[in-house]
């Protein structure tokens, strides 16, 4: 019998020390607010669903649309509010002043409303230069004129130095909704066509380029613009637009996931049909980002009946803000509540809602 050899006990590595480690994706039961709660992704959704909705107990907010449609004095009004905390305050193609107008104008337009009046609240940090505030105010006023809306009322507050990040702006707005218009995410139906009004991902990359000082070989200019004129041209073709959404925080992917869940349909995109500028594609490849999740500030998604799609597309392409409009997918019966993409290799990948935000502070 062979002699049994006794091996020494193995030396185990020391247990890792996790002190000081941080998780790139915050824990879902995080006890404090984290940046991801403002990113438009799953954390934002959970904050709204579990904290705000029960506290407000209002059927109007439960629809989670870009603006609420209410009837007042016999008129159908859309009502919306938004806050803007972008850094930097000025970027290629616009400023926080432009965003403050266009963001609220576009939210109203996504309900089919013609925006009319805005309020404007400035929260200023002690020490910010008056010339900066003046430049932002001028941009805001010019943007309002361009969008055809009136700044009707406002407010100003000043916070201590170190507590305001320069300038924050809140705008709220109201607009008239055409008779016969019923635009909401729940109306997306199997067989509907998904249209995007132009090149995606531009705004987020423009912000990142100046914030981080990264050059991509050419200047990327934000697409920040008011979309009410484009929506009006689409409604002139048909009042029966099913869904409109401006894919800001979280990009096209997050917006379509929200619509799919609300309507209980699946959404299938065709990767080859996605209009992505080469500069955005290259920047996203360099930064490890997905263009579908990058914010836009001058684009819209439209979900329309298949029989109306071609005529709507023609009207969009005839408008300056819709020249690159394209059909990018359809609503399907399979995988309800999910978005998938057919890749150029014939495979299918799930396009889920992100936990937080790839690029924080973009609007």
């Amino acid at each position: 019998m062979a002699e049994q050899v006794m091996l020494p006990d193995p030396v185990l590595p020391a247990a890792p020390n996790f002190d000081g480690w941080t998780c790139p994706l915050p824990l879902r039961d995080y006890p404090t607010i984290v940046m991801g709660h403002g990113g438009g992704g799953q954390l934002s959704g959970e904050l709204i669903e579990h904290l705000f909705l029960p506290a407000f107990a209002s059927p109007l907010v439960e629809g989670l649309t870009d603006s609420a449609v209410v009837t007042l004095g016999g008129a159908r009004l859309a009502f919306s509010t938004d806050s803007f905390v972008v850094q930097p305050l000025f970027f290629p193609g616009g400023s926080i002043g432009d965003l403050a107008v266009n963001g609220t104008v576009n939210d109203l337009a996504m309900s089919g409303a013609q925006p009319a009046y805005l309020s404007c609240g400035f929260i200023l940090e002690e020490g910010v230069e008056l010339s900066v505030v003046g430049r932002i105010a001028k941009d805001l006023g010019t943007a309002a004129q361009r969008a055809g809306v009136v700044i009707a009322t406002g407010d100003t507050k000043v916070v201590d130095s170190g507590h305001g990040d320069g300038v924050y702006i809140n705008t709220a707005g109201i607009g008239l909704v055409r008779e016969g218009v019923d635009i909401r995410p729940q109306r997306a139906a199997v067989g509907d066509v998904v249209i995007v009004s132009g090149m995606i991902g531009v705004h987020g990359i423009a912000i990142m380029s100046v914030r981080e000082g990264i050059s991509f070989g050419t200047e990327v200019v934000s697409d920040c613009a008011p979309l009410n004129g484009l929506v009006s041209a689409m409604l002139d073709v048909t009042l029966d637009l099913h869904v409109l959404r401006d894919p800001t925080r979280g990009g096209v992917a997050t917006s379509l996931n929200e619509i799919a869940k609300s309507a209980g349909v699946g959404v299938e995109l065709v990767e080859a049909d996605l209009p992505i500028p080469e500069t955005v594609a290259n920047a996203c490849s360099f930064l490890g980002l997905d263009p579908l999740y990058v914010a836009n500030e001058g684009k819209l998604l439209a979900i329309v009946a298949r029989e109306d799609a071609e005529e709507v597309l023609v009207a969009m392409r005839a408008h300056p803000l819709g020249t690159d409009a394209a059909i990018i997918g359809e609503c399907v019966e399979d995988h309800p509540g999910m978005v998938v993409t057919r890749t150029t290799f014939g495979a299918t990948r799930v396009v889920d809602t992100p936990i937080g935000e790839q690029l924080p502070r973009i609007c």
Side-chain angles (χ1 to χ4, degrees):
M1 180 180 294
E3 183 179 355
Q4 186 175 6
V5 178
M6 300 296 293
L7 297 176
D9 292 336
V11 179
L12 299 177
N17 180 6
F18 293 103
D19 291 343
W21 282 34
T22 59
C23 179
L25 297 179
L27 299 176
R28 303 300 284 273
D29 58 352
Y30 215 78
T32 60
I33 294 294
V34 296
M35 288 298 294
H37 283 118
Q42 293 181 35
L43 284 176
S44 291
E46 291 174 0
L47 183 69
I48 293 169
E49 180 182 356
H50 299 298
L51 193 153
F52 292 124
L53 290 184
F56 297 162
S58 166
L60 285 174
V61 299
E62 289 174 359
L64 299 178
T65 51
D66 288 321
S67 58
V69 176
V70 299
T71 301
L72 186 64
R76 292 182 72 213
L77 300 175
F79 179 36
S80 185
T81 186
D82 207 344
S83 299
F84 301 88
V85 296
V86 66
Q87 278 296 328
L89 298 174
F90 304 96
F91 47 84
S95 70
I96 190 173
D98 297 288
L99 282 176
V101 170
N102 295 335
T104 296
V105 163
N106 293 347
D107 283 347
L108 293 170
M110 295 308 106
S111 291
Q114 183 58 47
Y117 298 100
L118 299 185
S119 68
C120 177
F122 274 80
I123 300 176
L124 308 175
E125 181 184 8
E126 182 183 24
V128 68
E129 296 179 5
L130 284 176
S131 60
V132 170
V133 179
R135 181 179 169 190
I136 292 171
K138 183 176 181 180
D139 287 348
L140 195 151
T142 300
Q145 292 176 2
R146 187 179 301 119
V149 296
V150 175
I151 306 298
T153 187
D155 182 52
T156 303
K157 293 291 188 296
V158 177
V159 298
D160 295 339
S161 178
H163 292 77
D165 209 7
V167 178
Y168 296 154
I169 301 177
N170 172 273
T171 50
I174 57 173
L176 281 171
V177 181
R178 294 194 198 188
E179 190 65 34
V181 170
D182 181 19
I183 299 173
R184 47 193 171 88
Q186 293 81 6
R187 292 200 63 213
V190 171
D192 284 356
V193 170
V194 181
I195 303 174
V196 68
S197 63
M199 299 291 179
I200 65 173
V202 180
H203 176 72
I205 296 303
I207 294 294
M208 177 60 71
S209 66
V210 292
R211 181 188 296 170
E212 304 300 332
I214 302 173
S215 173
F216 300 112
T218 184
E219 184 179 54
V220 182
V221 179
S222 170
D223 58 351
C224 183
L227 296 169
N228 49 322
L230 176 60
V231 171
S232 182
M234 297 164 67
L235 289 171
D236 286 343
V237 170
T238 175
L239 296 179
D240 193 29
L241 301 176
H242 291 179
V243 186
L244 293 176
R245 180 65 60 89
D246 56 334
T248 53
R249 294 177 304 170
V252 168
T254 298
S255 293
L256 288 177
N257 269 283
E258 291 172 351
I259 294 167
K261 289 179 174 62
S262 295
V265 299
V267 174
E268 186 172 286
L269 304 177
V270 179
E271 186 176 69
D273 294 338
L274 295 172
I276 303 171
E278 184 178 1
T279 51
V280 170
N282 292 339
C284 286
S285 178
F286 175 74
L287 296 169
L289 304 177
D290 186 335
L292 281 172
Y293 294 96
V294 178
N296 312 269
E297 285 293 343
K299 301 298 186 302
L300 65 80
L301 292 166
I303 297 182
V304 302
R306 186 174 297 276
E307 58 267 25
D308 294 328
E310 194 58 39
E311 196 173 0
V312 170
L313 191 63
V314 169
M316 294 175 72
R317 289 175 173 170
H319 190 277
L321 295 178
T323 54
D324 295 317
I327 294 174
I328 60 173
E330 61 181 336
C331 296
V332 297
E333 189 174 358
D334 296 338
H335 51 79
M338 293 177 57
V339 179
V340 302
T341 296
R342 293 205 313 268
T343 70
T344 53
F345 299 103
T348 300
R349 71 180 178 97
V350 175
V351 182
D352 202 0
T353 304
I355 298 290
E357 172 64 86
Q358 290 188 118
L359 303 174
R361 305 289 299 282
I362 45 76
C363 64

